[in-house]
Amino acid sequence: MSKHLLTLPRLRVQNANCISSPMTWGFPAITAFTGFMVALQRRLMQKAGEANALAASLRFESVGVVCHRFEPQVTTGGYTRSFALTRNPVLQDGGTAAIVEEGRAHLDISLVFTVHTAQGYVSDEDAQAAAEAVAAEVAGMRLAGGSIMPTLQKLRAPQRTPRMEVLKAEPEDQLKQFKQLRRRLLPGFALVTRDDVLQQRLQTLQAEHAAQATTTSASAAPTLLDAWLDLSRINHRAQSDEATGQVTWKQDARPGWLVPMPVGFATLSSYETGTVANARDANTPFRFVESVYSIGQWVSPHRLEIAEAFMWKPEYDPELGLYRCVNGYRAPDDKAPSAEADMAAERGDSENDTSSSNPNQLDFD
């Protein structure tokens, strides 16, 4: 089997679900994109013999997400924002229907899939035909509950044309290939995991707690939840100058554009097939689950070296009952750039463009 990179650039999604979990809102959960990948493969398999034979034989492994534009449908006045809700039709008796709060957002994204084909050699013409067949199938699907709209024709052809290319075998060739791909993904930001930052913050909080325990009354030791909440907010701390007596407020340094995010689900209880009334599928065992959380980071594609760095794939651990999306990003040894530096560098590059079970996660309602 040969391995390919399938790129669907500049997808416009209207009214996508932006309530990603019980505790977060904003960009849709990464499980929405891995679920979209599975649904796409199933639809292609069902149309084997009707559509492009190569497209129907594709086996999807992982998906990378690059966001070019995010427009949440919220109110803009005041400090506190609320979702812009739609008015439902009146009831039969003329009464007002109840309003169900739902968060919606418009997206402009690019998707990059890692796919496998049974064919040993695929010509450029066949690969392009397969990419266009997949794009045609995607046009009739929903992504994160939103509708996929036609690509804007004002974009240049390289920015709006789907592509499928063989993933090079040699690391040097892969680097050169990905450099061309990431330039086509600019301007934008890719979502990656930062489990290491979550673990580092936990160690910092535990060290601060141990130092304070010697001078103050004992309190509960920090947990992963405390570290996750600490990274989910902007902290301002007061620092006093003993010489002048002046107090200044400083913001905690961050290693980039960090965001709290759901990464999967953890099993609460399991039931045999057919034992739960009104289940969607009577042939599949039923499970109640809760969300699993971690920390993610938005990184400009030009800072990534390989495609696997922003690829997500679902994994399942039957012993732990854990459904989790994993990502292969590894932070560089040097200090990670700030979000402002990322955006500044991204603008410069875009102007010159010519073409498993993890201890660093949270599971709770």
Side-chain angles (χ1 to χ4, degrees):
M1 298 181 66
S2 57
K3 195 172 184 179
H4 294 70
L5 290 177
L6 173 62
T7 306
L8 301 179
R10 300 289 182 167
L11 297 178
R12 294 193 303 142
V13 185
Q14 287 190 355
N15 295 327
N17 178 25
C18 68
I19 303 179
S20 54
S21 74
M23 297 192 67
T24 58
W25 80 277
F27 196 76
I30 197 64
T31 51
F33 297 95
T34 56
F36 176 81
M37 175 181 67
V38 174
L40 175 59
Q41 177 174 316
R42 290 180 176 178
R43 290 187 59 155
L44 292 173
M45 293 174 61
Q46 292 174 357
K47 294 189 176 182
E50 302 178 8
N52 185 280
L54 179 59
S57 67
L58 295 179
R59 296 298 176 263
F60 290 74
E61 177 183 292
S62 57
V63 57
V65 184
V66 176
C67 182
H68 307 286
R69 183 180 66 91
F70 176 76
E71 183 183 346
Q73 303 302 293
V74 297
T75 58
T76 57
Y79 179 78
T80 302
R81 297 184 179 183
S82 59
F83 292 118
L85 305 179
T86 58
R87 170 69 70 177
N88 296 330
V90 298
L91 302 177
Q92 294 181 354
D93 59 359
T96 301
I99 296 179
V100 179
E101 186 177 27
E102 57 181 6
R104 297 173 291 111
H106 301 334
L107 309 175
D108 186 358
I109 60 174
S110 292
L111 300 180
V112 181
F113 299 96
T114 302
V115 299
H116 296 271
T117 63
Q119 301 182 21
Y121 170 77
V122 178
S123 64
D124 295 341
E125 293 77 9
D126 292 342
Q128 185 60 33
E132 294 176 356
V134 173
E137 188 65 32
V138 166
M141 299 178 62
R142 283 184 172 268
L143 175 57
S147 303
I148 298 179
M149 309 302 293
T151 304
L152 294 177
Q153 295 300 313
K154 67 179 182 179
L155 296 175
R156 291 176 296 173
Q159 292 181 313
R160 57 182 170 85
T161 303
R163 295 169 58 110
M164 191 174 82
E165 50 191 338
V166 178
L167 185 63
K168 305 297 184 181
E170 298 298 330
E172 295 80 4
D173 296 334
Q174 288 185 11
L175 178 59
K176 182 178 179 180
Q177 181 183 31
F178 183 65
K179 282 184 177 180
Q180 297 176 354
L181 171 62
R182 67 188 186 186
R183 292 181 67 86
R184 297 195 298 268
L185 297 176
L186 291 173
F189 285 89
L191 184 61
V192 300
T193 184
R194 291 309 305 268
D195 293 342
D196 57 322
V197 174
L198 181 60
Q199 185 64 25
Q200 291 171 7
R201 183 54 59 94
L202 175 61
Q203 295 174 357
T204 301
L205 294 179
Q206 290 176 341
E208 294 176 354
H209 176 268
Q212 295 175 358
T214 59
T215 58
T216 61
S217 58
S219 59
T223 64
L224 271 176
L225 176 58
D226 297 314
W228 184 78
L229 292 174
D230 190 70
L231 290 171
S232 302
R233 60 178 179 255
I234 299 177
N235 299 314
H236 296 269
R237 306 183 189 275
Q239 296 182 355
S240 59
D241 189 340
E242 297 181 356
T244 61
Q246 294 182 350
V247 177
T248 59
W249 289 86
K250 293 188 177 181
Q251 180 178 319
D252 286 353
R254 286 176 167 271
W257 185 356
L258 301 180
V259 289
M261 60 178 297
V263 293
F265 306 94
T267 301
L268 291 176
S269 58
S270 302
Y271 297 89
E272 296 296 332
T273 303
T275 58
V276 178
N278 302 322
R280 289 186 178 182
D281 188 352
N283 301 318
T284 303
F286 188 91
R287 289 189 172 186
F288 286 103
V289 298
E290 61 182 354
S291 296
V292 174
Y293 298 88
S294 186
I295 292 294
Q297 181 178 353
W298 290 104
V299 180
S300 182
H302 78 278
R303 297 195 180 277
L304 304 176
E305 298 296 333
I306 56 176
E308 285 75 9
F310 75 112
M311 292 292 185
W312 293 84
K313 62 180 180 180
E315 288 188 355
Y316 170 54
D317 189 334
E319 295 183 359
L320 298 177
L322 181 64
Y323 305 81
R324 193 184 194 278
C325 297
V326 297
N327 168 247
Y329 178 77
R330 295 294 181 270
D333 295 335
D334 56 340
K335 185 178 180 181
S338 63
E340 293 79 4
D342 258 355
M343 288 186 282
E346 175 199 357
R347 288 193 295 268
D349 276 9
S350 62
E351 292 174 357
N352 298 327
D353 186 17
T354 57
S355 49
S356 68
S357 167
N358 194 303
N360 308 322
Q361 64 194 13
L362 303 171
D363 53 294
F364 49 86
D365 274 326

